[in-house]
Amino acid sequence: MRGYIGVDVGSVSTNVVAIDDEGNVIDKVYLRTQGQPIKVVQEGLRAIAAKCSDIEIAGAGTTGSGRRLASVIVGADCVKNEITAHAVAASHVVPGVQTVLEIGGQDSKIIILRNGVVIDFAMNTVCAAGTGSFLDHQATRLNIPIEQFGDLALKAEVPVRIAGRCAVFAESDMIHKQQMGHRIEDIVCGLCEALVRNYLNNVGKGKDILPPIVFQGGVAANAGMKRAFEKALGETVIVPEHYNVMGAIGAAILAAEEVKRRGTGTLFRGFDVVDEEFEARSFECKGCPNRCEVINIIRDGDTIARWGDRCGKWEAL
Amino acid sequence: MKVTFPHMGNLYIPLRALFENLGLTVIVPPKSSKRTLTLGTRNSPEFACLPLKVNVGNFIEAFELGADAVVMAGGVGPCRFGYYGEVEREILEDLGYNFEMFIIEPPQGRFREVLHELGRLVGRVTASQVIHAVRIAWEKLSSVEALERLAAKVRARELQKGSVTKALAQALKDIDKAETLGEIRTARLDGLSTISGVPQREDYTPLRVGIVGEIYVVLEPFVNLDVERELGEMGVEVERSIYLGDWIGLHVIKDMLRFGRGSLKRVKRLASPYLQHFVGGHGIESVGHSVEYARKGFDGVVHLAPFTCMPEIVAESILPRVSKDLDIPIMSLIFDEHSADTGVVTRLEAFVDLISRRRSRLGNLGKDTGDVSYAGLYRR
């Protein structure tokens, strides 16, 4: 059987999937990036390799903010931005999808599709209020495991109103409500509603949000957020089975497309990469006052990639 | 007296020529860099927008090279920039620098003040000296922009990534060095032919994107993280809505000579279904130019603004309607002191994906094949 690998290296999580020719997920891994993207990509591949012993890997794709780094490690056929990757995965899983709501660790985006084609998108520009990191932070502060956060919200009776525009204002509002004696469930639910309000007014501003609506990204695990979206939009919101690895699925589908288009075989370097020694070393170029921080990616003693320079002097090896 | 001025794209080339030909010693600040930004943000109010911070950094770095006079533009209307000259004077004085400041307000009928300020700067000069200096500076400005325009077109087709950028940099250097009108023209022609001689992909029709927004962010690649080049290297032909030659022609010369401000009027007329008032800065232009790009059949518009820029916030809230009415994708990008370009590149890539899918669909109307590939449109 043939399979395709997709790797999504995000700020908070790194996901690796293997899909078959039809785009069905063979296996998936969701790991925390924890500031060590190289190690985590290798770890993810190792876990996937265990399930793929009898599968011929015919292509690999990477996406996410660490897509470039991941691409030199795995040998990617396709390196693609996460907006396109998410859109491709969503329209694969829910054919005819018209709206994709995606909330990840540091980004939130909305993608509008018509007839399977992206016609509009937006991404949070200057503020991370309402993204996964903020929810994570609040869960820690309230001493609630993030996995239970959403279910707690569903138990609310009288959601309180929380300021949603700014994480700092939201936090001070939450502390205030908590000191006034409101129930924790009501506060958590209020927070979900505030984040949804902020999302729709900020990222979703002026967009035609039509069903089917797919909600994906790590935050889609939060049942409270799903319900808050449904309440605000008055529509059913679909959370796909593999909601938290949709970027990686998209990257794998794109890699499959690319390999077919090119017809010269995959650049995937094989699962042996999990045992290779990768090292990233940086230095400050003193060629001009920009003082670019140049990154060297070193594999088993050889420099295999370099980037970070504005002028392109170092990028060519 | 050693004169300096803030950086804004390649404006230093004509400005250096102007002041030197008026008999002044010029100190061009080092190109804006991380150090400039660090100096600027450390010494500026937090709530000011990015242009002020980079200006302050430029001035401090020029003082370090011995400058002791600053020329700065003023402004009118709701944009804060109009007052930045004064604010910068105060900041730099507080830092203990000894310098003279010359703030050139846009004329708008008050020529005496402008001439007085200019007279204070250059001292006694003959009329023919002034005419000569202005001619040289104008020739350099229009040469610089002719080269920039051509580079933005050819870059989309270059075979070797970076070759146009390299050719452009060399041509700009030659223009900067040229002293006489003849030398400038030679440098310009040489530059134009080197750029168009760069090996190019044939049988390729690039996507076309217009860049609108606040003038400083649009013109200064250090601040906009090289949006023009990024797009170009993704195979997109870029046109800026703002070229300084146009802008000076519009605001200074035509104003001075009191003949019709044709092009501004046109932009205002185009913007008028959406915005009828002057909102400061380039707010109305951003809207008007977006309409213009849509009418000219561009594939998309990218709108640039510094964080907290009021005029552009007004434009940003209007652009989604323009986009819907005229069926043209528009994306706004906001810049502050961040240097990580990943976020910007991600958005640009996705935007290019969107417009290229859109074009291939429009191009195949009626025979929608549905199998246009997202992958492999461009490499990075």
Side-chain angles (χ1 to χ4, degrees), chain A residues 102-180:
Chain A
E102 200 272 344
I103 307 185
Q106 264 185 24
D107 284 328
S108 52
K109 38 188 157 312
I110 186 166
I111 309 170
I112 306 293
L113 301 98
R114 296 291 181 266
N115 306 318
V117 175
V118 177
I119 60 150
D120 198 6
F121 69 86
M123 211 163 159
N124 58 334
T125 44
V126 287
C127 174
T131 59
S133 302
F134 178 61
L135 282 172
D136 241 4
H137 172 65
Q138 292 312 324
T140 315
R141 202 179 59 77
L142 296 170
N143 207 11
I144 305 166
I146 184 75
E147 295 78 15
Q148 292 167 25
F149 206 78
D151 296 324
L152 207 57
L154 296 182
K155 292 191 195 126
E157 285 159 11
V158 198
V160 297
R161 192 185 155 86
I162 307 273
R165 246 202 100 190
C166 165
V168 176
F169 295 161
E171 176 156 340
S172 94
D173 242 11
M174 284 175 67
I175 292 172
H176 169 72
K177 300 275 152 119
Q178 155 201 326
Q179 314 296 49
M180 296 273 290

Side-chain angles (χ1 to χ4, degrees), chain B residues 102-119:
Chain B
F102 301 89
I103 301 174
I104 312 295
E105 298 288 343
Q108 308 216 325
R110 286 177 302 172
F111 284 111
R112 194 159 294 178
E113 273 176 42
V114 177
L115 291 178
H116 176 77
E117 194 72 355
L118 285 172

